[in-house]
Amino acid sequence: MASGQAPTLAQPRQFKLDKESELRVEVGPDSPLRARLLSGTAELFGTELPPQNWLPIPPRSKIAIFTWHGATIELEGISEVEYVADETPMVSYVNVHAILDGRRARAKASQGSDLDTSQGPRVIVVGPTDSGKSTLCRMLLSWACKQSWKPTFVDLDIGQGSITLPGCIAATPVEMPIDAVEGIPLEMPLVYFFGHTTPSSHGELYKVLTKELAQTLERQFSGNAESRAAGMVINTMGWVEGLGYELLLHAIDTFKANVVLVLGQEKLCSVLKDVLKSKSNVDVVKLHKSGGVVLRNQKVRQKSRSCKIKEYFYGLANDLSPHSNIINFSDVAIYRIGGGPQAPRSALPIGADPVADPTRVVAVNINRDLLHQVLAVSYAKESDQIISSNVAGFIYVTDIDIQRKKITYLAPCAGELPSKLLIMGSLTWLES
């Protein structure tokens, strides 16, 4: 088959891969496709493929099955693109993993001494949109788990969300190689609801929540030597200029990152090296992005967000049954963070402009504007604890009955909400 040519029929076809090459496949929005390893060894984003087992590839997926020593792969179903590539950056990626592995071993060996030397690598992956950041994070995590480490994955990418819904920053320990289809297993993720898919007008709130997450992780690490030695892998947004760049520096500082991996942008790498040169313990490393990385336009990214929200309520394979519930307006209190009422000019120093407090918690009047909103259920007991509290989960508002003062909502499971304090952002979803 010619390179890059999509098959017209769904008949099985085999690809013989030489060592250090990969099969790249792009799946359409509605096409079922599956893959299996017939011979040799191969991995998908750092996780080994079991021999002879069919692996379902979800719609809209872009995958790369890589082999270190050679393999034969069989595909069945229809894809939009499939081709074998022998130029990949995988050797440089696995070299980074080997260095991180050595640092983890040294951190573990120095346990019982001071906290600095017993701290494993804190790796932050940065680069522009669609440079393969989340895929590299996934590989580094899976390879670490293969060596019996349990690193913590921190996701600061509010645009897409690898751990939970878009609009959140989150962290979770990863204890085993990440399942190629199911993604990251979630035992007890730590989730803070930012509420928007871009930080453009909420930069200060993003910084505050980033700091809350970092402080919580520091507390956990101080009491858990194993997690401390395993360290963190931190995924970031693709916005690397202006405010995006400012938030990137803030994240490097806040999480005390000591390895900065820059994907696919010479200029960003050079600027970061210059800015961070005063920090002797921070290594800035430039890595090539994979040729298999696919650029996504705004529409595709929006669709991806919508699928992520649907998956939260209905499961990856539409195999979950969310519950529809009705509550009274009086049963809940809904808040928005930021954009609170401005101080009147008379209360300000002469010449100062009124500015909305970016972290002010404001009560929201319940009305039809809440329809189709995704709301976070906060663990906070009082409204003044909302910013410093993580969230239990999410609900989706399907109806507002103003006359009867009732809210109908969808929740992933039955039963009462764990809290009556709900947070509203600008995250909406139209159930299709």
Side-chain angles (χ1 to χ4, degrees):
M1 189 178 301
S3 172
Q5 180 185 330
T8 51
L9 297 172
Q11 77 272 15
R13 54 238 176 244
Q14 292 181 10
F15 296 84
K16 190 163 174 32
L17 305 184
D18 294 329
K19 68 172 192 171
E20 293 179 12
S21 65
E22 65 187 20
L23 172 62
R24 295 173 182 165
V25 183
E26 296 176 32
V27 190
D30 308 302
S31 314
L33 183 81
R34 56 185 193 158
R36 68 173 170 171
L37 174 68
L38 291 180
S39 66
T41 57
E43 58 182 50
L44 180 54
F45 304 143
T47 301
E48 285 189 32
L49 294 183
Q52 302 298 333
N53 284 15
W54 283 109
L55 182 75
I57 310 297
R60 295 189 183 81
S61 295
K62 317 277 188 285
I63 64 161
I65 298 173
F66 179 85
T67 178
W68 292 104
H69 308 291
T72 303
I73 307 294
E74 185 171 37
L75 294 183
E76 188 178 271
I78 301 172
S79 71
E80 291 188 338
V81 176
E82 51 191 49
Y83 65 99
V84 175
D86 54 11
E87 280 189 24
T88 83
M90 289 290 280
V91 172
S92 61
Y93 294 174
V94 87
N95 286 343
V96 167
H97 157 68
I99 292 165
L100 300 178
D101 199 52
R103 290 190 179 190
R104 291 183 180 109
R106 283 197 296 279
K108 187 178 181 181
S110 65
Q111 277 169 13
S113 58
D114 71 289
L115 286 179
D116 279 348
T117 53
S118 64
Q119 171 59 61
R122 296 188 176 192
V123 188
I124 189 163
V125 181
V126 309
T129 304
D130 296 325
S131 54
K133 293 186 296 298
S134 51
T135 299
L136 177 59
C137 287
R138 197 168 166 161
M139 289 191 285
L140 293 174
L141 290 162
S142 289
W143 288 335
C145 290
K146 254 196 252 185
Q147 307 290 335
S148 302
W149 300 107
K150 296 174 183 174
T152 298
F153 178 41
V154 178
D155 190 19
L156 304 179
D157 183 5
I158 50 174
Q160 295 298 313
S162 298
I163 293 176
T164 183
L165 298 192
C168 299
I169 61 169
T172 188
V174 181
E175 302 191 349
M176 54 203 302
I178 296 162
D179 186 279
V181 177
E182 298 285 333
I184 292 163
L186 300 181
E187 297 306 314
M188 281 293 288
L190 193 56
V191 181
Y192 289 84
F193 187 59
F194 176 69
H196 315 279
T197 55
T198 169
S200 49
S201 53
H202 306 275
E204 286 309 309
L205 173 60
Y206 186 91
K207 285 182 185 176
V208 168
L209 294 181
T210 300
K211 200 169 176 183
E212 285 292 342
L213 178 60
Q215 286 172 342
T216 305
L217 289 176
E218 283 302 353
R219 285 194 294 273
Q220 290 181 358
F221 275 15
S222 65
N224 187 328
E226 187 184 20
S227 294
R228 192 171 171 76
M232 306 178 184
V233 175
I234 306 163
N235 187 33
T236 60
M237 297 180 290
W239 188 14
V240 294
E241 290 161 0
L243 175 63
Y245 173 69
E246 185 188 318
L247 296 178
L248 199 56
L249 288 181
H250 180 262
I252 291 169
D253 196 43
T254 306
F255 286 97
K256 301 187 175 77
N258 48 27
V259 179
V260 182
L261 300 179
V262 187
L263 270 174
Q265 202 185 78
E266 199 91 47
K267 178 185 164 192
L268 180 63
C269 184
S270 173
V271 170
L272 286 174
K273 274 186 175 172
D274 198 44
V275 169
L276 299 171
K277 66 183 175 210
S278 60
K279 300 188 177 191
S280 57
N281 65 329
V282 180
D283 294 315
V284 180
V285 181
K286 183 170 80 73
L287 292 171
H288 290 291
K289 71 175 184 180
S290 168
V293 169
V294 179
L295 295 177
R296 297 168 294 175
N297 60 30
Q298 196 57 41
K299 192 176 174 187
V300 171
R301 299 175 77 79
Q302 179 58 50
K303 185 71 181 170
S304 171
R305 280 197 279 270
S306 186
C307 288
K308 195 81 186 168
I309 296 171
K310 183 177 182 182
E311 185 187 315
Y312 176 80
F313 291 103
Y314 288 95
L316 189 65
N318 243 10
D319 51 353
L320 300 181
S321 301
H323 290 257
S324 183
N325 302 290
I326 298 176
I327 46 171
N328 300 312
F329 285 11
S330 56
D331 292 338
V332 291
I334 303 175
Y335 294 89
R336 182 194 287 280
I337 306 171
Q342 299 177 342
R345 281 190 183 274
S346 57
L348 293 169
I350 294 168
D353 288 324
V355 177
D357 179 356
T359 58
R360 183 185 170 96
V361 176
V362 185
V364 173
N365 288 327
I366 299 176
N367 56 34
R368 298 285 295 174
D369 291 348
L370 282 168
L371 201 56
H372 307 306
Q373 284 276 346
V374 177
L375 306 177
V377 184
S378 177
Y379 275 126
K381 298 281 184 278
E382 302 293 337
S383 62
D384 61 358
Q385 300 169 346
I386 283 177
I387 285 193
S388 58
S389 301
N390 55 316
V391 300
F394 307 90
I395 63 171
Y396 169 61
V397 180
T398 56
D399 189 42
I400 301 280
D401 189 329
I402 302 291
Q403 248 81 44
R404 294 170 57 229
K405 291 189 166 13
K406 303 266 186 195
I407 301 172
T408 306
Y409 68 90
L410 204 62
C413 53
E416 277 188 32
L417 293 175
S419 160
K420 68 175 203 132
L421 299 188
L422 307 177
I423 316 169
M424 171 186 179
S426 57
L427 197 64
T428 58
W429 178 49
L430 284 174
E431 192 176 350
S432 53

